[in-house]
Amino acid sequence: MSELGLASRREADEWISRGWVWVDGQRVTELGTRVTPDQHITVDPAATSRQAEQVTVVLHKPIGYVSGQAEDGYEPAVVLVTERNHWRGDTSGRRFRPEHLRGLAPAGRLDIDSVGLLVLTQDGRIAKQLIGQDSEVEKEYLVRVQYEAAGAHPGPLPEVFPAADLERLNHGLSLDGKPLLPAKVWWQNEDQLRFVLREGKKRQIRRMCEAVGLKVVGLKRVRIGRVVLGDLPPGQWRYLGPDERF
């Protein structure tokens, strides 16, 4: 059921236990029941109705908040998801309810020193789409940098930074002994790079930049798939719209 995108694994277990799943017209209540590719799975409307009630939140995370569990005295970003911080420009039509916080978890990381688009969701299907092992959803970042060698060569960074190192940022670097997937990296302006990645290793962009002599002084995620940060103010959030897809 998870592979077909019908439900997350946790949801599938719950639906089966509740008797909400049929295979070729026969109700299935035993977890781990094997299904062949030619068999047809159907689910009770009650299951899809419950699934439709799950929410996904788009948050503009400021500096000083961690993505997941609280650590080293820093609060998790989910504490910002309150009625007071709900963006007035939200066009989803949803109104905040306390139950929307139940099981709301980050679908991906954004480190404490970074800002921008963070997704939190109750929907296991979206979490799998964004952070699953086979995810190919693009993440886009604006990265302000300093070049360690620029002091000896004053001028705009795109002019003094070696073209070969820019090529390495696009493809050719490794982290933790494993080659990185090809990226898209180009100069946005004289001291800012734009990164588009299809993976998200811990502090990946900062470590990539360090490998070519660049120091990251500001990092902002502006897009995940087809969902953009847009005009969402720092510290505020909105619901993912019914017609939005990553």
Side-chain angles (χ1 to χ4, degrees):
M1 291 173 65
S2 175
E3 290 174 0
L4 291 173
L6 296 174
S8 68
R9 291 180 182 273
R10 182 178 298 178
E11 281 178 323
D13 287 348
E14 179 188 354
W15 294 359
I16 292 168
S17 298
R18 288 177 176 268
W20 287 350
V21 179
W22 284 265
V23 176
D24 289 345
Q26 298 294 317
R27 190 191 303 270
V28 174
T29 57
E30 183 178 348
L31 299 179
T33 299
R34 293 186 177 275
V35 179
T36 59
D38 61 323
Q39 292 183 291
H40 183 60
I41 300 173
T42 54
V43 297
D44 192 288
T48 53
S49 176
R50 172 172 292 193
Q51 198 174 59
E53 295 174 357
Q54 295 176 329
V55 300
T56 296
V57 163
V58 175
L59 170 71
H60 188 159
K61 187 190 88 65
I63 288 176
Y65 291 85
V66 293
S67 299
Q69 298 295 322
E71 56 183 77
D72 298 329
Y74 293 103
E75 291 185 298
V78 70
V79 303
L80 295 169
V81 184
T82 64
E83 187 171 14
R84 180 179 180 180
N85 293 334
H86 190 185
W87 185 38
R88 291 184 178 180
D90 190 336
T91 59
S92 68
R94 285 186 180 269
R95 297 186 63 181
F96 174 75
R97 301 204 306 267
E99 55 263 36
H100 291 167
L101 297 174
R102 191 178 303 122
L104 191 66
R109 294 187 298 264
L110 195 59
D111 67 55
I112 193 169
D113 298 318
S114 301
V115 304
L117 178 55
L118 181 67
V119 174
L120 302 104
T121 186
Q122 295 176 324
D123 192 331
R125 297 170 303 166
I126 287 179
K128 180 181 178 182
Q129 184 183 37
L130 298 187
I131 59 176
Q133 187 174 2
D134 299 325
S135 175
E136 293 191 353
V137 176
E138 289 185 343
K139 286 90 173 176
E140 186 169 346
Y141 305 80
L142 291 175
V143 185
R144 196 169 300 281
V145 294
Q146 294 175 347
Y147 184 37
E148 294 179 353
H153 305 280
L157 291 187
E159 295 179 10
V160 301
F161 186 69
D165 283 340
L166 184 62
E167 291 179 9
R168 290 177 63 208
L169 287 172
N170 277 272
H171 193 204
L173 294 178
S174 297
L175 291 181
D176 304 323
K178 295 183 179 180
L180 295 175
L181 295 176
K184 300 173 186 175
V185 186
W186 66 96
W187 287 104
Q188 180 71 17
N189 53 47
E190 64 180 20
D191 65 350
Q192 194 172 54
L193 289 162
R194 188 176 289 267
F195 276 71
V196 178
L197 305 180
R198 288 188 291 113
E199 58 188 334
K201 297 183 183 297
K202 189 173 182 179
R203 298 180 73 86
Q204 177 173 336
I205 291 177
R206 295 178 188 274
R207 295 166 68 194
M208 289 173 70
C209 288
E210 288 173 4
V212 295
L214 292 172
K215 178 183 178 181
V216 173
V217 294
L219 191 153
K220 181 178 184 179
R221 184 158 59 202
V222 296
R223 177 175 67 87
I224 298 178
R226 289 184 287 176
V227 175
V228 298
L229 182 65
D231 297 327
L232 184 62
Q236 295 189 28
W237 62 274
R238 65 175 179 84
Y239 290 107
L240 189 72
D243 298 325
E244 284 187 289
R245 298 291 184 272
F246 288 100

